[in-house]
Amino acid sequence: MWRNESDTADAATSRMRPRRLRRFASASGMARETRLAVADLVLPLFVIEGRGAVREIPPMPGHSQRSVDRLDGEIDDVGSLGVPAVILFGIPDRKDFQGSRAWSADGPVPRAIAHIKRRAPGLMVVADVCLCEYTDHGHCGLVGSGDGGPEGQGRILNDETLPLLARAAVAYADAGADMVAPSAMMDHQVGALRDALDTAGHGHLPILSYAAKFASAFYGPFRVAAGSTPRFGDRREYQMDPANAREAMREVQLDVEEGADAVMIKPAGAYLDIIRQVRDRVDLPVAAYQVSGEYAMLKAAAERGWLDERRAVLESLIAIKRAGADIIVSYYAKSAATWLRDA
Ligand code: PBG
């Protein structure tokens, strides 16, 4: 409880001395309120087609696009560090208007899933479900004909996109994914996936919904990594306005009602208040995605010697945890696991 005003007047003479415990606590770790564990972390991986291919992603030093046969190093690292899960993004050789490589059984993600589950059966494989990496226009859904948006730029069709997302989710489930994570921000995508998965005999498969996904400048490096920068317009007709917290609660509530098993907030660092509010309202596990731009900022400053990388990264992750996230998707998952192990 807060003291009232007359009490605070006595603060100078209070016998309370927070520093008394601090030296002891910081040395022992005792009474620490929040702990980051390796078990909280999920590592994103970018999978391309072909063989023997590793392509560095310039704005994300330390991360590469890899063909399925070049994933083993990452899989083994993650396994030996104890990082429990990876989330997969596929980048196809051929993109088309509907993003059909998203659900091809021989597309990058289904092949990667099958490969990883063979090599490391205990590693949880989450498959991101979206079309933007697979469409030639770079949007997360089908583009309507006609005048559409304000500049006549065509609109992204919602309900027509749902069956395509559902098809991709079923393809990943068929390939052996442990969880699917729809990120297209189409209305009712969670319900559409749930119905399709149940019908296809994947009733047991959980959905991690990107429930509150903001239209963020921090996705910039990812779009380089995925070749998914929209050819026209931007994603603001389906991703959320960064100014809106109440709307985020509606998005989360809808996804919970549609059967989401866990909900994600994205990005993380600039949205800690949203994470906290969701945590306070929802009993489901809450995930947060420390996105590519957050990684790039920390990396760039660290490379210049302007930040102590280890301390800054662990601080950014503990803040996400403290805000209320149970699960943290981060490009720093491997480094953080190493630092936590050696701590
Ligand atoms: C796909 C998707 C995006 C990210 C995750 N899933 C990109 C986007 O919406 O443009 C971003 C991840 C990151 O920046 O690390 N829809």
Side-chain angles (χ1 to χ4, degrees), residues 89 128 130 132-133 140 183 210 213 218-219 222-223 235 239 266 289 291-292 331:
F89 297 92
D128 182 89
C130 195
C132 63
E133 302 93 337
C140 303
S183 67
Y210 287 74
K213 178 171 173 183
F218 292 107
Y219 305 150
F222 175 95
R223 292 180 188 173
R235 301 210 205 292
Q239 297 183 352
K266 179 178 169 199
Y289 197 139
V291 300
S292 57
Y331 299 97

Side-chain angles (χ1 to χ4, degrees), residues 134-337:
Y134 302 92
T135 53
D136 50 15
H137 46 73
H139 278 288
C140 303
L142 282 175
V143 179
S145 56
D147 53 356
E151 276 86 46
Q153 55 191 236
R155 295 187 64 85
I156 307 310
L157 302 172
N158 194 91
D159 293 10
E160 293 80 352
T161 298
L162 299 178
L164 307 185
L165 295 170
R167 235 174 125 173
V170 170
Y172 306 154
D174 287 344
D178 297 296
M179 181 141 80
V180 289
S183 67
M185 283 301 277
M186 295 296 128
D187 292 340
H188 299 159
Q189 60 182 9
V190 172
L193 261 59
R194 187 70 274 156
D195 287 345
L197 290 167
D198 291 354
T199 306
H202 297 296
H204 64 282
L205 200 83
I207 298 175
L208 166 62
S209 151
Y210 287 74
K213 178 171 173 183
F214 291 88
S216 175
F218 292 107
Y219 305 150
F222 175 95
R223 292 180 188 173
V224 174
S228 64
T229 305
R231 291 280 159 77
F232 61 86
D234 55 42
R235 301 210 205 292
R236 279 181 290 193
E237 71 174 89
Y238 43 102
Q239 297 183 352
M240 290 183 49
D241 180 345
N244 290 1
R246 290 192 299 269
E247 187 188 351
M249 301 309 122
R250 283 204 297 282
E251 283 281 3
V252 168
Q253 188 191 338
L254 277 171
D255 286 3
V256 172
E257 285 166 8
E258 288 175 31
D261 299 281
V263 291
M264 184 139 75
I265 291 100
K266 179 178 169 199
Y271 297 86
L272 297 179
D273 57 325
I274 309 289
I275 298 172
R276 168 48 52 194
Q277 288 183 48
V278 171
R279 170 71 294 155
D280 287 345
R281 279 167 205 231
V282 169
D283 292 329
L284 298 176
V286 172
Y289 197 139
Q290 183 179 52
V291 300
S292 57
E294 299 178 75
Y295 177 81
M297 282 195 301
L298 288 161
K299 255 300 174 221
E303 282 181 349
R304 286 167 177 71
W306 292 349
L307 277 180
D308 176 332
E309 185 174 34
R310 173 188 161 131
R311 287 191 56 205
V313 170
L314 290 175
E315 185 176 331
S316 73
L317 295 172
I318 202 73
I320 296 165
K321 190 83 195 280
R322 192 191 64 237
D326 306 296
I327 301 166
I328 303 175
V329 182
S330 172
Y331 299 97
Y332 270 116
K334 272 173 43 177
S335 315

